[in-house]
C-alpha cells in the first residue's frame, strides 16, 4: 500500500478503465488524482437508455463469463446488480465459450418460420469450426490467412460429404444459416468481415466460464456505484485534451503537461490515457508530443477497431414465440457463403443477422435488439430514422410474411460517428499478434534517465486476451494503477505527504 502519495496523476477518459484506475489509486492512498472527461457524462462505452418503458443498452450489455474469475461479475454481485439466477453455481460453472445457449426462432427470406432442429446441422458445424481454428503458426499460414478464409473453405469441404444426401433446398438453407452465423461473428468481433480477422490472432481471446448475462437494471448501475465511492470533484467533465506533452523533464517532478482544448495546461507526474483505439488511430499524431515511438504506432495500426451497432425496435405485440430469446434471419436467395453485402447503400439491411429479445420488467413492452456491424453499420448510421424504420419494417414483413407488423418506436446506436470513440471495440486484424497488445500496454518513456511511467495506457484494446470486453477494460485500469502503486511503494518517500 502506498500511503498518502501526492504525486499528481491525470487520467484521460472517464470510461470503465479510467474509473477503475482512479478507484484503485484513491483506495491505495493517492490523494492527487484527476480524471479529464471529454463529454458531459461518465461511463464511456457503457451507456443505458430507454425505448418507451423498456431499459436498453446503448453500449456494453453483457458480462461475458459471469463467474469468480470475472471482476465485473464480482463487482456487480457485490453492488447487488444481478439477477439471482445469474448467481447460481450451475450458471457460473457452465463453459459455453462464446455461445450462450439461447432459445431461437428461425425465419427465412421466403417468409417461412423454420424448425430450429432443422438448422442444428449448420449451427453445430459452425461452432465446431470456430472452436477449432488453428491456434499456432504451425498450420499452413498461406492456406488461410483469415478466420473467414478458414471457415468458408472448411464449410465447403465438410458439407460436400456431410450434406450430399440432402435435397438442394435444404442444403441452400443450411448454407444460408452458416452465412447468418458468419455475420453474427462479425458483430462479436466488431469487424466488417471475418476476412479481416487474423486466423492465428483469433485464438488470443480467452473466454471465462459462466453463461453470459446482462444487468437487469442497466450496466450504468456499475458506473454509478463505482463513481459514488470516488471524491465528488475528481472528474472534470466536458474537458477534451488537445495534447499530452511528455518526456520533457529529468528532474522527476511534473514530467508531463496535459494541454486541454480550452487552453489550460495541467502539470502531472503521470498520465493514464484510456481513450478508445479508434480515437488513437485518428488523433495520435496531434495527441502526443513528442510523437509515440514506432512500435506503439505500429500496434495502433495493426490492431483492428470496428463498429458493432444495435437497432432497438419496439412493437405493439409479440410476433415471436413466448420462450424465444433470439431470432435468426436466413437469406435463402444468397448463392455464396458470405458475411457482407455487395451494394451497401441498397442492401445494408441484409447484414442484420439476428434480433435478441430484450427482457423487460414492464408488461406489454415488446422490444427486439437487432445487430449490425462493419461498413453496413457505418452506412446505417448516416440514414434518417424514418429510412431505418422503413427498411426494418420491410425486413420483418419479408421474413414473417405478416404485413400487419409495424414497429412502434426505433432507436439506433451510432458508435462509428461518435467523435470520442469512432467505433465500438477492437479485434486482431490480419497480421496482428499478442506482441501488438503488449506494445499497447508499454508505458512511456520505455527507457533512459527520464522519470518512468510518464504516459501509461489502459482500455479494452490494451488487454492481450480479454480485449473487446468490459472486464478487459476494467482489468487494464487496475493494471496501470497497480504499476503506480508498486512504483511508489519501492521509491523513497519523495512524494509522500510528510504531515501524516
Amino acid at each position: 500500500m502506498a500511503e498518502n502519495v501526492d504525486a499528481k496523476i491525470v487520467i484521460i477518459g472517464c470510461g470503465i478503465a479510467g474509473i477503475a484506475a482512479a478507484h484503485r489509486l484513491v483506495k491505495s492512498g493517492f490523494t492527487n488524482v484527476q480524471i479529464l472527461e471529454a463529454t458531459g457524462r461518465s461511463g464511456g462505452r457503457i451507456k443505458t437508455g430507454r425505448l418507451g418503458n423498456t431499459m436498453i443498452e446503448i453500449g456494453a450489455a453483457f458480462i461475458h463469463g459471469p463467474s469468480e474469475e470475472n471482476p465485473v461479475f464480482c463487482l456487480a454481485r457485490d453492488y447487488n446488480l444481478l439477477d439471482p439466477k445469474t448467481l447460481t453455481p450451475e450458471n457460473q460453472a457452465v463453459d459455453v465459450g462464446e455461445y450462450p445457449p439461447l432459445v431461437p426462432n428461425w425465419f427465412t427470406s421466403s417468409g417461412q418460420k423454420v424448425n430450429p432442429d432443422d438448422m442444428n446441422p449448420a449451427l453445430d458445424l459452425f461452432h465446431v469450426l470456430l472452436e477449432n481454428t488453428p491456434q499456432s503458426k504451425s498450420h499452413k499460414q498461406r492456406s488461410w490467412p483469415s478466420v473467414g478464409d478458414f471457415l468458408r473453405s472448411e464449410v465447403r469441404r465438410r458439407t460436400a460429404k456431410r450434406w450430399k444426401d440432402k435435397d438442394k433446398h435444404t442444403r441452400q438453407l443450411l448454407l444460408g444459416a452458416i452465412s447468418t452465423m458468419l455475420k453474427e461473428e462479425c458483430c462479436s468481433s466488431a469487424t466488417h468481415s471475418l476476412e479481416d480477422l487474423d486466423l492465428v490472432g483469433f485464438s488470443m481471446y480467452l473466454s471465462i466460464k459462466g453463461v453470459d448475462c446482462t444487468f437487469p437494471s442497466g450496466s450504468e448501475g456499475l458506473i454509478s456505484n463505482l463513481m459514488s465511492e470516488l471524491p465528488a470533484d475528481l472528474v472534470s467533465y466536458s474537458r477534451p485534451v488537445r495534447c499530452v506533452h511528455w518526456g520533457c523533464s529529468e528532474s522527476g517532478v511534473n514530467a508531463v503537461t496535459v494541454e486541454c482544448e480550452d487552453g489550460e495546461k495541467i502539470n502531472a507526474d503521470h498520465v493514464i490515457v484510456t481513450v478508445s483505439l479508434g480515437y488513437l488511430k485518428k488523433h495520435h499524431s496531434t495527441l502526443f508530443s513528442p510523437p509515440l515511438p514506432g512500435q506503439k504506432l505500429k500496434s495502433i495500426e495493426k490492431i483492428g477497431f470496428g463498429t458493432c451497432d444495435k437497432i432497438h425496435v419496439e412493437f405493439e405485440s409479440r410476433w415471436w414465440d413466448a420462450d424465444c430469446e433470439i431470432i435468426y434471419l436466413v437469406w435463402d436467395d444468397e448463392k455464396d457463403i458470405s458475411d457482407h453485402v455487395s451494394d451497401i447503400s441498397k442492401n445494408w439491411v441484409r447484414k442484420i443477422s439476428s434480433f435478441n429479445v430484450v427482457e423487460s420488467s414492464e408488461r406489454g413492452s415488446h422490444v427486439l435488439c437487432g445487430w449490425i456491424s462493419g461498413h453496413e453499420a457505418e452506412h446505417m448510421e448516416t440514414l434518417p430514422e424514418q429510412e431505418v424504420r422503413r427498411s426494418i419494417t420491410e425486413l420483418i414483413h419479408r421474413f414473417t410474411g405478416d404485413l400487419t407488423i409495424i414497429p412502434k418506436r426505433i432507436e439506433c446506436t451510432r458508435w462509428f460517428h461518435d467523435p470520442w470513440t469512432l467505433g465500438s471495440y477492437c479485434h486482431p486484424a490480419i497480421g496482428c499478434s499478442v506482441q501488438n497488445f503488449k506494445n499497447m500496454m508499454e508505458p512511456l518513456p520505455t527507457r533512459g534517465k527520464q522519470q518512468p511511467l510518464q504516459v501509461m495506457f489502459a482500455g479494452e484494446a490494451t488487454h492481450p486476451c480479454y480485449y473487446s470486453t468490459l472486464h478487459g477494460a476494467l482489468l487494464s485500469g487496475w493494471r496501470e494503477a497497480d504499476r503506480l502503486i508498486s512504483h511508489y511503494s519501492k521509491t523513497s518517500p519523495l512524494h509522500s505527504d510528510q504531515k501524516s
Side-chain angles (χ1 to χ4, degrees):
M1 190 80 120
E3 291 296 319
N4 289 356
V5 179
D6 68 356
K8 173 69 174 172
I9 297 161
V10 171
I11 298 169
I12 300 174
C14 196
I16 188 76
I19 294 168
H23 204 262
R24 191 89 145 194
L25 289 167
V26 169
K27 290 256 183 295
S28 296
F30 283 75
T31 57
N32 200 353
V33 179
Q34 181 181 13
I35 298 180
L36 300 176
E37 167 53 42
T39 72
R41 54 175 284 277
S42 305
R45 285 169 267 174
I46 295 176
K47 190 177 185 183
T48 303
R50 292 198 84 73
L51 187 62
N53 295 323
T54 304
M55 185 276 299
I56 58 171
E57 297 289 13
I58 310 293
F62 295 100
I63 300 178
H64 293 293
S67 53
E68 291 297 327
E69 281 173 67
N70 188 326
V72 172
F73 168 77
C74 295
L75 282 171
R77 177 195 59 202
D78 297 347
Y79 290 138
N80 209 13
L81 299 174
L82 297 176
D83 202 310
K85 71 170 185 275
T86 306
L87 303 171
T88 62
E90 301 78 48
N91 199 74
Q92 295 178 48
V94 179
D95 195 353
V96 292
E98 277 295 271
Y99 284 91
L102 300 174
V103 176
N105 280 179
W106 288 86
F107 290 89
T108 75
S109 54
S110 314
Q112 302 297 309
K113 191 173 173 205
V114 185
N115 184 334
D117 293 343
D118 295 342
M119 306 312 271
N120 283 341
L123 276 188
D124 294 345
L125 174 60
F126 182 79
H127 291 154
V128 161
L129 290 175
L130 205 65
E131 279 153 27
N132 293 289
T133 56
Q135 302 209 351
S136 71
K137 298 276 185 211
S138 63
H139 77 83
K140 297 196 288 293
Q141 185 83 44
R142 298 290 165 290
S143 52
W144 312 301
S146 74
V147 174
D149 292 319
F150 167 74
L151 289 174
R152 272 210 313 277
S153 68
E154 284 296 284
V155 164
R156 286 198 190 98
R157 188 176 72 79
R158 295 195 189 197
T159 56
K161 290 185 210 152
R162 235 182 246 196
W163 299 348
K164 69 174 188 296
D165 298 333
K166 296 184 187 294
D167 64 83
K168 191 180 169 193
H169 172 72
T170 305
R171 272 203 314 271
Q172 178 70 31
L173 200 57
L174 289 170
L175 290 172
I178 297 268
S179 289
T180 299
M181 299 318 291
L182 292 174
K183 292 170 188 170
E184 282 284 281
E185 191 55 40
C186 286
C187 288
S188 297
S189 295
T191 187
H192 173 60
S193 164
L194 299 188
E195 285 159 37
D196 302 333
L197 280 188
D198 190 88
L199 185 56
V200 173
F202 188 64
S203 58
M204 292 189 294
Y205 180 88
L206 298 179
S207 52
I208 301 177
K209 279 185 181 173
V211 179
D212 288 6
C213 70
T214 57
F215 297 83
S217 48
S219 55
E220 268 189 30
L222 179 65
I223 298 297
S224 48
N225 274 284
L226 286 166
M227 293 299 291
S228 70
E229 295 171 10
L230 291 173
D233 57 352
L234 190 119
V235 186
S236 303
Y237 292 101
S238 305
R239 296 296 300 282
V241 168
R242 181 182 294 153
C243 186
V244 177
H245 302 272
W246 63 284
C248 29
S249 160
E250 289 189 22
S251 68
V253 181
N254 294 151
V256 199
T257 303
V258 179
E259 183 187 349
C260 298
E261 280 293 351
D262 60 12
E264 190 194 349
K265 292 186 173 166
I266 300 167
N267 293 324
D269 296 297
H270 311 279
V271 174
I272 303 177
V273 177
T274 74
V275 301
S276 79
L277 178 63
Y279 193 85
L280 279 181
K281 281 179 181 285
K282 186 170 180 182
H283 298 291
H284 67 77
S285 59
T286 53
L287 190 58
F288 299 95
S289 175
L292 295 173
Q295 66 173 15
K296 184 83 79 177
L297 293 176
K298 191 174 175 194
S299 294
I300 288 170
E301 183 197 332
K302 281 275 184 206
I303 300 171
F305 192 79
T307 302
C308 172
D309 276 320
K310 304 179 201 181
I311 303 170
H312 285 97
V313 195
E314 185 183 20
F315 299 91
E316 286 289 353
S317 58
R318 180 168 47 75
W319 48 267
W320 51 93
D321 293 351
D323 63 346
C324 172
E325 295 170 298
I326 190 165
I327 296 164
Y328 289 119
L329 307 181
V330 179
W331 292 89
D332 51 17
D333 61 352
E334 288 179 355
K335 294 287 173 273
D336 288 327
I337 306 167
S338 177
D339 58 15
H340 50 277
V341 303
S342 48
D343 181 346
I344 287 179
S345 60
K346 210 165 73 201
N347 295 323
W348 66 269
V349 79
R350 282 179 175 251
K351 187 66 169 271
I352 300 172
S353 50
S354 69
F355 288 89
N356 279 82
V357 179
V358 180
E359 281 187 52
S360 178
S361 52
E362 303 289 325
R363 288 195 47 190
S365 176
H366 307 287
V367 175
L368 297 178
C369 172
W371 298 85
I372 186 167
S373 70
H375 303 325
E376 294 87 350
E378 294 166 19
H379 177 74
M380 179 277 294
E381 291 187 20
T382 66
L383 301 173
E385 189 187 300
Q386 61 268 31
E387 175 61 28
V388 177
R389 181 194 290 259
R390 188 185 63 74
S391 297
I392 294 292
T393 306
E394 278 179 13
L395 181 77
I396 288 160
H397 289 175
R398 177 167 185 170
F399 277 79
T400 59
D402 183 346
L403 302 184
T404 65
I405 301 170
I406 306 292
K408 189 169 153 189
R409 290 190 188 90
I410 195 159
E411 176 85 44
C412 306
T413 65
R414 292 188 162 80
W415 288 107
F416 180 71
H417 286 88
D418 181 312
W420 306 111
T421 54
L422 299 159
S424 302
Y425 40 87
C426 78
H427 56 261
I430 298 292
C432 172
S433 70
V434 74
Q435 190 56 49
N436 296 122
F437 285 97
K438 288 179 176 167
N439 293 345
M440 290 301 295
M441 293 159 49
E442 271 298 294
L444 301 174
T446 45
R447 62 183 73 80
K449 294 183 186 149
Q450 295 175 332
Q451 181 192 345
L453 308 181
Q454 290 178 28
V455 186
M456 299 152 78
F457 296 83
E460 53 91 16
T462 70
H463 199 291
C465 58
Y466 296 146
Y467 54 82
S468 79
T469 64
L470 265 182
H471 55 276
L474 178 89
L475 285 165
S476 74
W478 283 354
R479 178 191 70 217
E480 297 311 308
D482 288 342
R483 256 193 237 274
L484 287 171
I485 293 163
S486 160
H487 175 69
Y488 281 99
S489 48
K490 284 182 200 139
T491 56
S492 65
L494 170 74
H495 281 292
S496 291
D497 182 347
Q498 300 299 324
K499 294 191 284 291
S500 63

